Amino acid sequence: MFGTRKIIKYFPLNASSSFVKYAGNQIFSPDINSWDSIYVANPSILKNGGLYKMWYSGNSGGSQWKIGYAHSSNGINAWTRFSQTVIDVGS
């Protein structure tokens, strides 16, 4: 109905400063039962102490994008997302 679902992937730098594909991709994907059920995109990730914090854009297929928040202890997997949006654009 909306085409391909959008996900967030991880591409680390190798020793020669080239991006390489991470074997465990995808690291963050849409939540089928949530406001970001079709698209997640445009992540901004900050490390604060031992916690990686990510703000990202999400959409359930409509015209209104929202901003969500998730955190992880290693920044690659086991992301815990907040169920509510941080910013509901246009409301």
Side-chain angles (χ1 to χ4, degrees), residues 29-87:
S29 58
D31 180 351
I32 284 233
N33 299 311
S34 188
W35 60 270
D36 58 356
S37 62
I38 303 292
Y39 304 111
V40 292
N42 306 316
S44 293
I45 301 172
L46 300 173
K47 185 177 182 187
N48 185 2
L51 191 64
Y52 290 84
K53 299 178 178 186
M54 175 172 61
W55 291 264
Y56 65 96
S57 301
N59 189 299
S60 62
S63 62
Q64 188 175 26
W65 285 83
K66 300 176 183 180
I67 297 176
Y69 171 79
H71 63 265
S72 168
S73 61
N74 66 11
I76 298 173
N77 55 30
W79 286 96
T80 301
R81 73 178 81 214
F82 281 25
S83 60
Q84 300 297 317
T85 59
V86 175
I87 298 174

